[in-house]
């Protein structure tokens, strides 16, 4: 492979398998059928080989997500590493992240990843067993703690995903109804995540997506808790434990920020491989076929697996880049924004941001960013820009 001088230096690889389907999940994932691993890896090998020349040099970040990458067998993992390593070269200090679920992460995974992976993002969601049952997760709180501690003690940069705003509802048959997540319960989750020694914590509000099991349950609106208080509590609690907020949903100890995600928010390019993976190259955003069967069929026919492409008109692309940049604490750098999108778009967006009080938006000639209070109402700012 002869690397190009320009082009994406971030790669996302989607693993489309899960141990079971969580009732709130709208991601492209399914329980593995016999033969699926082989079909996935065979297609991925071809896609990786055919697209590796797009990379603009050695990869700076690689993110293996899903789905549940730890749902792959150890043999499949060896092959996956060989497929990626055979097609792409990584920079010596590349950030290589894998998503792991506590129910399937094993010591064998950790041993196998040494020397290739250096960051693990653990899908804990909660350290409370009732929360986990309600969410239909395939692990309990003990496994969650053990998984995070295993990654930390193995020396990986470790991130914990947590979810807030759980409305309450039925658990499994014969069990009492789950009463919903309390602020006290949420606070306990944050403290427990910090105690594991993980260097990064991401917090997400549960959203009820159409087409999911929860989406068909018609939760009464009143049952969906307002996320404002738990989010605000996270902004208060985590910095006191050494985690600075550097993005709407992300808190990190110094030097443990996700470089892969920072590239997304900086409107940087990336290659996506695997079913449903998105790519963003040369201003074109494209997505692969959603299901493994469709993805494998297209690759077997020698076609690109892409089924959707969009190139935004320049004004829309500029507004989208502004919204992405404002997710992160570093915000918009006006000089580079103007170089890329022009003075008219810079002026339009800056004027819109000036409609907000300084308590929400900082905007000076060099840079614009949201304050902590602004991040709590970020949707209002984005609506104004878009
Ligand atoms: S483990 Fe993650 S990707 Fe898999 S079904 Fe649950 S939420 Fe979706």
């Amino acid at each position: 492979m002869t690397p190009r001088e320009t082009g994406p230096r971030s790669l996302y690889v989607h693993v489309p398998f899960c141990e079971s389907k969580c009732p709130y999940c709208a991601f492209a994932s399914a329980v593995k059928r016999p033969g699926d691993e082989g079909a996935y890896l065979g297609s991925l090998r071809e896609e990786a080989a055919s697209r590796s020349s797009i990379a603009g040099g050695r990869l700076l970040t690689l993110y293996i997500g899903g789905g549940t990458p730890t749902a792959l067998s150890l043999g499949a993992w060896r092959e996956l590493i060989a497929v990626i390593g055979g097609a792409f070269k990584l920079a010596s200090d590349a950030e290589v992240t894998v998503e792991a679920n506590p129910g399937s992460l094993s010591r064998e995974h950790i041993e196998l990843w040494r020397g290739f992976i250096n960051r693990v993002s653990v899908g804990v969601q909660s350290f409370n067993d009732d929360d986990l049952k309600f969410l239909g997760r395939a692990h309990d709180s003990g496994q969650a703690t053990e998984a995070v501690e295993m990654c930390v003690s193995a020396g990986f940069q470790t991130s914990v995903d947590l979810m807030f705003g759980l409305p309450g509802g039925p658990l499994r048959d014969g069990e009492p109804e789950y009463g919903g997540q309390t602020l006290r319960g949420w606070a306990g989750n944050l403290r427990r995540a910090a105690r594991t020694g993980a260097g990064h914590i991401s917090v997400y509000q549960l959203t009820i997506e159409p087409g999911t099991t929860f989406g068909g349950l018609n939760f009464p609106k009143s049952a969906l808790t307002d996320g404002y208080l738990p989010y605000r509590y996270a902004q208060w609690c985590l910095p006191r434990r050494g985690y600075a907020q550097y993005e709407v949903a992300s808190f990190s100890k110094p030097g443990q920020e996700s470089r892969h995600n920072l590239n997304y928010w900086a409107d940087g390019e990336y290659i996506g491989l695997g079913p449903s993976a998105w790519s963003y190259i040369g201003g074109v955003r494209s997505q692969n076929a959603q299901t493994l069967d469709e993805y494998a069929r297209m690759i077997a026919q020698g076609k690109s697996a892409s089924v959707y492409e969009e190139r935004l008109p320049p004004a829309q692309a500029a507004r989208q880049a502004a919204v992405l940049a404002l997710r992160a604490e570093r915000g918009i750098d006006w000089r580079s924004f103007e170089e890329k999108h022009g003075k008219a778009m810079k002026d339009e967006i800056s004027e819109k941001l000036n409609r907000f009080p300084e308590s929400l938006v900082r905007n000076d000639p060099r840079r614009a960013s949201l304050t902590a209070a602004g991040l709590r109402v970020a949707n209002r700012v984005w609506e104004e820009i878009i």
Side-chain angles (χ1 to χ4, degrees), residues 249-261:
S250 310
F251 297 80
S252 160
K253 293 209 168 151
Q256 303 231 14
E257 298 85 1
S258 164
R259 284 162 52 200
H260 187 82
N261 288 341

Side-chain angles (χ1 to χ4, degrees), residues 56-79:
R58 288 179 179 265
L59 297 178
L60 302 177
T61 72
L62 162 64
Y63 194 105
I64 304 171
T68 304
T70 41
L72 286 176
S73 66
L74 294 175
W77 255 106
R78 280 187 204 96
E79 209 176 322

Side-chain angles (χ1 to χ4, degrees), residues 162 183-195 201 203 229-245 251 253 376:
L162 293 176
L183 191 56
R184 183 184 291 268
W186 171 241
N189 269 337
L190 294 171
R191 283 197 300 270
R192 197 147 157 198
R195 274 205 306 274
I201 297 173
V203 300
L229 263 187
Y231 183 72
R232 187 166 185 170
Y233 185 82
Q235 285 186 312
W236 178 84
C237 162
L238 292 177
R240 278 164 182 75
R241 285 168 171 75
Y243 300 87
Q245 183 168 21
F251 297 80
K253 293 209 168 151
R376 294 196 282 274

Side-chain angles (χ1 to χ4, degrees), residues 203-226:
V203 300
Y204 302 102
Q205 181 167 8
L206 173 68
T207 52
I208 306 294
E209 304 285 347
T212 62
T213 304
F214 275 1
L217 286 184
N218 293 324
F219 285 105
K221 271 217 164 65
S222 57
L224 289 166
T225 58
D226 183 353

Side-chain angles (χ1 to χ4, degrees), residues 107-357:
R107 292 201 182 277
E108 288 77 15
H109 282 115
I110 302 253
E111 286 312 314
L112 204 147
W113 290 343
R114 283 186 199 283
F116 185 70
I117 304 283
N118 49 34
R119 186 171 183 276
V120 185
S121 174
V122 189
V124 168
Q125 314 315 343
S126 176
F127 290 100
N128 174 296
D129 283 329
D130 283 345
D131 291 354
L132 291 169
K133 276 189 202 159
F134 171 72
L135 291 171
R137 299 292 299 191
H139 63 268
D140 62 25
S141 58
Q143 288 172 302
T145 305
E146 194 187 343
V148 179
E149 289 179 350
M150 206 155 62
C151 294
V152 172
S153 63
F156 295 119
Q157 285 196 19
T158 305
S159 179
V160 171
D161 281 358
L162 293 176
M163 199 176 272
F164 62 90
L166 314 189
L171 285 177
R172 305 270 156 79
D173 286 347
E175 296 192 34
E177 179 131 324
Y178 165 68
Q181 188 181 50
T182 61
L183 191 56
R184 183 184 291 268
W186 171 241
N189 269 337
L190 294 171
R191 283 197 300 270
R192 197 147 157 198
R195 274 205 306 274
T196 61
H200 189 283
I201 297 173
S202 298
V203 300
Y204 302 102
Q205 181 167 8
L206 173 68
T207 52
I208 306 294
E209 304 285 347
T212 62
T213 304
F214 275 1
L217 286 184
N218 293 324
F219 285 105
K221 271 217 164 65
S222 57
L224 289 166
T225 58
D226 183 353
Y228 184 86
L229 263 187
Y231 183 72
R232 187 166 185 170
Y233 185 82
Q235 285 186 312
W236 178 84
C237 162
L238 292 177
R240 278 164 182 75
R241 285 168 171 75
Y243 300 87
Q245 183 168 21
Y246 72 101
E247 189 264 343
V248 174
S250 310
F251 297 80
S252 160
K253 293 209 168 151
Q256 303 231 14
E257 298 85 1
S258 164
R259 284 162 52 200
H260 187 82
N261 288 341
L262 282 167
N263 178 57
Y264 289 149
W265 302 319
D267 202 29
E269 298 188 315
Y270 49 87
I271 303 168
L273 301 180
S276 82
W278 285 91
S279 298
Y280 180 48
I281 300 160
V284 177
R285 215 171 284 278
S286 62
Q287 189 181 28
N288 278 354
Q290 292 271 341
T291 65
L292 173 60
D293 290 347
E294 177 74 353
Y295 167 77
R297 190 179 57 74
M298 292 174 79
I299 298 277
Q301 291 171 350
K303 296 184 191 160
S304 149
S306 168
V307 290
Y308 173 81
E309 276 191 13
E310 70 171 10
R311 180 190 285 278
L312 293 179
Q316 238 176 299
R319 291 183 197 116
Q320 184 156 306
V323 165
L324 275 175
L326 287 169
R327 289 187 65 99
E329 192 253 339
R330 60 172 68 160
I332 303 172
D333 177 294
W334 284 128
R335 199 170 75 177
S336 56
F337 189 89
E338 187 175 328
E339 275 169 16
K340 196 166 170 189
H341 301 287
K343 185 167 183 325
M345 287 315 299
K346 182 214 152 191
D347 289 346
E348 176 194 302
I349 289 162
S350 184
E351 186 274 317
K352 285 178 174 172
L353 290 175
N354 285 338
R355 296 176 195 167
F356 291 91

